[in-house]
Amino acid sequence: MLRVTEIFRSIQGESTHAGRPCTFVRLTGCPMRCTWCDSEYTFTGGEYLTLDDVMNQVRAFACKLVEVTGGEPLAQREAHNLIESLCSEGFEVLVETGGFVSTADVDARARIILDVKCPASGEEARNHWPNLERLRADSDEVKFVITNFEDWKYALEIIRQYELDRRTKAILISPAWDALDLREIAEWVSASGLDIRMQLQLHKYIWGPEARGV
Ligand code: SF4
């Protein structure tokens, strides 16, 4: 069984796939507690569904792109069976993970969007660093949520230390909602000399920061 908070169709909001039609499978539960978490409603509740139930709901939305997210999707072992089933059925699968659970067992056909937790998240110590060495340059993306200048400097250090520009399809610099002057972070990114990408949480600009299921 999978513990599921919501399954819905929307547009992808936070990666190089932003703007594409996408079905989201949001699994319940996360052992982390990032200070700026915007999905605390996934920490509790949810509904227990069989793999078949989830697959049927995903099929009904008829989107080529499917994102398995949370919470922390990889905290549920059954998530691996879901990802494998989706890939086998021909969906293009994104797995958005908070970065503290190993990605070693994720179906190789899925694309990983991996968070690196910066200091202001309060969860920096739980980054699972081997995940960075598994990233694939043709498919996987890494995301830093930035809340202040210290986070930005930290991101630069990790990008250089792990040579993420050669390991990933994209390095995403994502300002936490309402935490920074966007012009300031745009200046940091543009002046960095790095092949990185500033990204905004598209869905929040469309539906507002508190909206769910969109
Ligand atoms: S890992 Fe994601 S879901 Fe978990 S607390 Fe952090 S932001 Fe929230």
Side-chain angles (χ1 to χ4, degrees):
M1 300 288 273
L2 287 148
R3 194 169 156 209
V4 180
T5 294
E6 55 189 357
I7 302 173
F8 59 98
R9 181 175 57 196
S10 185
I11 56 169
Q12 216 283 339
E14 295 190 70
S15 70
T16 61
H17 302 274
R20 295 180 61 192
C22 182
T23 300
F24 291 83
V25 180
R26 190 182 297 287
L27 299 184
T28 307
C30 180
M32 304 250 267
R33 290 294 179 266
C34 301
T35 52
W36 38 255
C37 180
D38 59 2
S39 43
E40 290 168 319
Y41 60 92
T42 67
F43 292 169
T44 55
E47 183 184 6
Y48 286 94
L49 298 175
T50 64
L51 180 57
D52 279 349
D53 288 337
V54 175
M55 289 298 294
N56 283 335
Q57 290 193 44
V58 169
R59 286 182 197 114
F61 283 126
C63 283
K64 177 176 170 49
L65 188 66
V66 179
E67 176 165 317
V68 180
T69 185
E72 172 48 64
L74 300 182
Q76 296 189 39
R77 281 304 300 176
E78 184 70 359
H80 292 287
N81 292 332
L82 171 63
I83 294 164
E84 186 183 340
S85 298
L86 291 166
C87 291
S88 295
E89 210 158 299
F91 292 104
E92 185 179 343
V93 181
L94 307 177
V95 177
E96 182 152 9
T97 173
F100 72 100
V101 180
S102 171
T103 57
D105 295 335
V106 176
D107 190 300
R109 295 169 293 182
R111 299 164 190 259
I112 304 284
I113 302 172
L114 178 77
D115 277 12
V116 174
K117 300 301 184 193
C118 296
S121 72
E123 295 287 17
E124 169 198 353
R126 296 174 77 180
N127 285 311
H128 183 66
W129 299 113
N131 282 342
L132 294 183
E133 283 151 17
R134 270 190 287 276
L135 290 165
R136 297 155 302 174
D138 60 340
S139 64
D140 297 341
E141 307 182 16
V142 65
K143 181 174 73 179
F144 295 87
V145 175
I146 304 292
T147 301
N148 55 34
F149 190 65
E150 187 192 0
D151 281 354
W152 167 245
K153 298 302 280 183
Y154 179 84
L156 292 180
E157 183 187 319
I158 299 299
I159 291 166
R160 293 199 176 104
Q161 185 180 340
Y162 285 88
E163 300 179 347
L164 293 180
D165 49 345
R166 77 172 173 80
R167 285 181 194 276
T168 60
K169 179 180 163 200
I171 299 168
L172 309 166
I173 302 295
S174 181
W177 182 259
D178 244 2
L180 282 165
D181 179 342
L182 296 182
R183 286 167 292 194
E184 188 174 24
I185 196 162
E187 177 60 27
W188 297 347
V189 169
S190 65
S192 70
L194 296 171
D195 186 10
I196 59 180
R197 179 188 295 241
M198 177 176 170
Q199 67 140 29
L200 304 178
Q201 294 173 295
L202 183 59
H203 50 291
K204 291 190 181 177
Y205 286 89
I206 299 172
W207 289 289
E210 307 297 336
R212 287 180 50 176
V214 288

